[in-house]
Amino acid sequence: MSRIIACYKWVADEADLKINPDMSVDLSKAKGKISDYDKNAIEAAVQMAKITGDEAVTLTYGSKKAKLSLKDALSRGPAEGFWVNSEKAEQADGAASSKALAAAINKIGDYQLIICAEGASDTFARQVGPSVAARLGIPCVSSAIKLEFCENEVKVSRKLENGIEIVAAQLPAVVCILPEINRPPIPGLKAVLDAGKKPTREYKIEELGLVESDLSARTETIEFKAYVMNRKNIVLDGETAADQVKALVGSLKKEGII
Amino acid sequence: MGEENQFDAIVVGAGPAGLACSYLLAKAGKAVLVIERGDAPGAKNVTGGRIYSYALNLLDKDLVDDVAWERKVSHEEIMIINGKRSITMDYHDPSLTEGDESTQSYTILRAVFDQWMADKAEEMGAMVVCGIRVDDMIQREGKVVGVIAGEDEMYAEIVIAADGVNSLMAQKAGLIPDIKKETVGVGVKEVIDLPAKTIEERFKLSQNEGSARMILGCTQGIHGGGFLYTNRESISLGCVFMPQEIVQHGIQIHDIFQELKMHPAIYRLIQDGETVEYSAHLVSEAGFQGMPARLYKEGLLLVGDSAGLVINTGYSIRGMDLALLSGIAAARAILGETDLSQIGPAYLAELEKICLLPTMRLSVGYNQLLEIPRIYSNYPQLAIGVMQRLYQVDGQIPQNFKKQVMEAINESGLTVWQMLKDGLKGVRSI
Ligand SMILES: Cc1cc2nc3c(=O)[nH]c(=O)nc-3n(C[C@H](O)[C@H](O)[C@H](O)COP(=O)(O)OP(=O)(O)OC[C@H]3O[C@@H](n4cnc5c(N)ncnc54)[C@H](O)[C@@H]3O)c2cc1C
């Protein structure tokens, strides 16, 4: 039995963001949550493990705040939760996160499949999955909406702009999934209680053979500002309902929405 | 059944009642499971904003130093509104912010306070599970033996219904009928952010000091009133109404509340603030008469709002301190009584001992008083009318005071006879 590892990020809940009058964003009151699409990644890992008989586990790279995430992650079904604990994670970019995750994946060992979300709900930079694959020297398939195992391969349906591409990749591999892949259920009472009894493992970066400077970000966030979407305030008129609908459809077409 | 599905106690609802009970049970080494439907304790809970410290002191003296409070109330205010005019009475006792921790009161925000209490209960070993709604309870041979949440069943020697007003648990156990509309009010509330300094200037507070204000005459004549509490960096402003009167009068709650916010004497207090939270909740209004006839069933105790333990005197609302007391009483009964079938009666005895039931009985009078409809329109108008005449100097020959008062009485639509009757009723009831 080998492992299917779902990676997730503990992000600030956007519902708690406060926008200051100068458009700067106040994160100080924001609670943490598992990035939305990462819940799909965890669910995908749990589903696959059921089919293949492997063990689904989760992995996160985060500061001490991310400790709260372990129980939440495990209540979604995986057997064990791994956490790379470093304050450096607060300033991480894709390069830094993928380094920490790849090192942890090597340490965990015996993996078949790594599942990431296409992007995190805070930055959506879409870097981590591909970078982890590159660091591990294994294939990476993105935009996945369906996974199937056959022998030593994973068959992935990829959602493209105008169609679906089916790709096979040699295992072990990294797959980046889109939220369409599944609908993660809300964990029930027993699942939450069980989560408290499941094993968790915390890694310090030294245990992974890394030093602080290895995890420095390669990009720097200079500013983080709110964006105001102005309403267009278009009023459509038309005598009959049919006219009004026609005007609406025309307007939406003009805007390139449909 | 299996070991892992069995607890000593299951507490439904992580509000002050449930958490007080869990805290004490866990402290005594019991295996306690608290199930809360909100994503976090207090996430969706609504209160005006003031809790009395004596109840926390009773829960555990060590907790009092550490309470997640906003400000200590040293200004007790009553405000009467009529039209654009208003009277505000401010009773200030600076000693209320220092010294004896057991006779103070604090303004609080529930999202912070409930989380703090849950953390304390967890430190004692209680298991608090959030984001799970209890749907039903498991009953065998007339006894409650567990709860059902989604597809999962959990068992316990005792279930504590701490699920608040209109308790689903109490309904399922047949202890209360479906909601009775005469006994519950609807509360709406906004939390308005303002810098601490602005709040201290506007309310004339020193650091840490807070004010608690009840507002009469702001409900367009219907049974209800407003409240305002100062938090560290925000103001809690709200109103409570009787829903059936709202319907009868064809008024929108939102409109009354908006008018209150725009009242000149209120607006200058909240000006430039940002509303960061809007909420609505039911509040039990009937005092002792609104309590269920039975507060327990074998295997089940009702605590806090689920037992109707709220006292509204018109000048203060007490629900959270009573919730804490009932949680304490429940824990004492469970820990003190080994015969499971006797926990219910033991709980009642503890409620008497902790002075909760006697206090509830006294509330009967207040409720009679508050049923006088004139309190919400005519009397505020009278008070304002008298003030207006008292302070108006216009160079004309002043009328004698008695005449002015009579004029104000006539204007308010009251009669002396009516006032005497109400006065008598008032004196008798409290
Ligand atoms: C507008 C307003 C102003 C008030 N002002 C004050 C005041 O200033 N001072 C004061 O002392 N009191 C005040 N009260 C009353 C006070 O808020 C309540 O009496 C008090 O909160 C009761 O505590 P409780 O623990 O019994 O219930 P609650 O605080 O209501 O807690 C019940 C908990 O149970 C959870 N729950 C409910 N059903 C389920 C379920 N099926 N499964 C799982 N969980 C469930 C809820 O999410 C909630 O967390 C006010 C009330 C209102 C509405």
Side-chain angles (χ1 to χ4, degrees), chain A residues 67-76 192 195-196, chain B residues 122 127-128:
Chain A
K67 185 172 182 143
L68 281 174
S69 71
L70 294 169
K71 236 174 116 175
D72 185 352
L74 291 175
S75 71
R76 297 168 191 279
V192 175
Chain B
E122 278 190 314
M127 207 176 303
V128 182

Side-chain angles (χ1 to χ4, degrees), chain A residues 40-237:
Chain A
N40 300 91
I42 296 172
E43 173 66 8
V46 171
Q47 293 299 342
M48 285 319 292
K50 265 189 205 146
I51 296 167
T52 61
D54 292 318
E55 186 180 70
V57 300
T58 57
L59 170 62
T60 190
Y61 170 50
S63 68
K64 59 178 178 298
K65 289 188 209 156
K67 185 172 182 143
L68 281 174
S69 71
L70 294 169
K71 236 174 116 175
D72 185 352
L74 291 175
S75 71
R76 297 168 191 279
E80 188 168 0
F82 295 88
W83 166 37
V84 183
N85 177 6
S86 164
E87 291 313 301
K88 276 277 196 187
E90 293 283 319
Q91 277 88 39
D93 62 357
S97 299
S98 62
K99 205 176 240 176
L101 293 172
I105 291 166
N106 273 328
K107 181 93 179 172
I108 295 166
D110 192 18
Y111 54 88
Q112 285 255 35
L113 188 65
I114 316 292
I115 304 182
C116 299
E118 189 82 5
S121 57
D122 54 353
T123 53
F124 209 76
R126 287 176 285 178
Q127 307 259 326
V128 167
S131 306
V132 166
R135 291 187 194 283
L136 296 173
I138 58 177
C140 178
V141 187
S142 61
S143 305
I145 55 167
K146 195 172 160 208
L147 306 180
E148 274 170 283
F149 271 106
C150 31
E151 312 249 327
N152 288 330
E153 287 180 346
V154 58
K155 226 165 80 189
V156 182
S157 305
R158 302 186 62 232
K159 189 179 164 199
L160 307 177
E161 186 110 347
N162 294 313
I164 300 212
E165 180 187 35
I166 299 182
V167 175
Q170 198 73 46
L171 292 172
V174 174
V175 175
C176 303
I177 54 101
L178 291 172
E180 290 93 320
I181 196 162
N182 56 37
R183 295 181 62 181
I186 296 168
L189 178 58
K190 277 208 180 118
V192 175
L193 286 176
D194 286 347
K197 297 178 203 133
K198 289 180 182 172
T200 58
R201 180 84 170 82
E202 174 185 339
Y203 290 131
K204 295 272 188 284
I205 58 172
E206 299 76 35
E207 291 172 71
L208 302 177
L210 298 170
V211 290
E212 286 246 324
S213 59
D214 289 334
L215 294 178
S216 296
R218 307 280 288 275
T219 56
E220 182 194 358
T221 305
I222 300 170
E223 213 180 357
F224 184 41
K225 281 191 113 154
Y227 167 74
V228 182
M229 186 108 80
N230 285 320
R231 289 171 189 271
K232 294 213 156 130
N233 291 324
I234 301 171
V235 179
L236 299 169
D237 46 21

Side-chain angles (χ1 to χ4, degrees), chain A residues 18-19 29 31 71 186-194 197, chain B residues 4-5 7 33 35 127 129 131-132 149 152-154 193 274:
Chain A
K18 251 190 77 185
I19 312 288
K29 294 218 173 82
K31 288 200 265 307
K71 236 174 116 175
I186 296 168
L189 178 58
K190 277 208 180 118
V192 175
L193 286 176
D194 286 347
K197 297 178 203 133
Chain B
E4 50 195 61
N5 299 338
F7 288 83
L33 171 64
I35 308 174
M127 207 176 303
V129 175
I132 306 280
D152 298 330
E153 297 185 350
M154 283 293 154
D193 268 5
E274 190 198 348

Side-chain angles (χ1 to χ4, degrees), chain B residues 106-126:
Chain B
Y106 314 126
T107 59
I108 59 158
L109 290 168
R110 289 294 292 272
V112 182
F113 181 82
D114 289 10
Q115 182 67 59
W116 170 79
M117 275 201 75
D119 290 346
K120 294 291 164 190
E122 278 190 314
E123 275 168 30
M124 288 299 158

